[in-house]
Amino acid sequence: DSGVTQTPKHLITATGQRVTLRCSPRSGDLSVYWYQQSLDQGLQFLIQYYNGEERAKGNILERFSAQQFPDLHSELNLSSLELGDSALYFCASSVGIPHTDTQYFGPGTRLTVL
Amino acid sequence: AQKVTQAQTEISVVEKEDVTLDCVYETRDTTYYLFWYKQPPSGELVFLIRRNSFDEQNEISGRYSWNFQKSTSSFNFTITASQVVDSAVYFCALSEALNAGNMLTFGGGTRLMVKP
């Protein structure tokens, strides 16, 4: 158990809908990261937050957004869902000291868009 | 731009065989970090090891060992006397110091199947 929690574990929804994925980092970690794992794209970095502020952005679609709250939990919002958004979404956390720490991953949320 | 290549998409071995998973990376940065993660059938990503670019010492942890060679931009992972529980997808990843954040760039993964 990495100490990172993600809810829900599974999510099934329809095209055009909006969903919110939630992540709680390990105790003491200030950085949260979101990654998407799909069959065609592999594991891709989406976005990173550090202590409430966006720090880095990867291949995140405009339909997707995220935020980190004062209690350090994070939410990833996916809107206008398409079939191709079906994937495993991972949250990871780290202490947040640049370039010296390790990311620990949560169990993931499997999103299925029908 | 950074890139990680795991040329072996799938490897199948019989229990107790040794197996090496290859990882080749590309980076323009002189300071970078390399990682291996394991993804068992249950789906979670489990951290195995982290190496920085200034430390080329090989590392051994039980049946696992890692060979980091800057000259060939490789960070290979060997499992000695493999066991069925080692069956998983293994990912090599890279993080560059030049990046504003600590984003990881992953290779495509190697699926290891250990048969009894």
Side-chain angles (χ1 to χ4, degrees), chain B residues 3-56:
Chain B
K3 186 178 176 183
V4 177
T5 302
Q6 295 180 255
Q8 306 148 308
T9 53
E10 204 166 286
I11 300 176
S12 181
V13 299
V14 176
E15 216 174 9
K16 294 188 184 147
E17 280 185 29
D18 298 348
V19 58
T20 295
L21 311 182
D22 298 333
C23 172
V24 173
Y25 61 92
E26 293 176 31
T27 176
R28 290 171 302 175
D29 207 345
T30 54
T31 302
Y32 52 89
Y33 306 84
L34 295 163
F35 302 80
W36 277 94
Y37 285 86
K38 174 182 180 179
Q39 187 174 37
S42 49
E44 73 273 24
L45 279 168
V46 179
F47 165 73
L48 294 178
I49 190 171
R50 175 179 181 273
R51 237 353 173 210
N52 73 56
S53 54
F54 298 112
D55 183 1
E56 283 195 73

Side-chain angles (χ1 to χ4, degrees), chain B residues 69-85:
Chain B
Q69 292 199 334
K70 279 177 85 167
S71 60
T72 55
S73 297
S74 66
F75 186 42
N76 297 337
F77 173 29
T78 297
I79 302 175
T80 302
S82 59
Q83 300 177 1
V84 173
V85 292

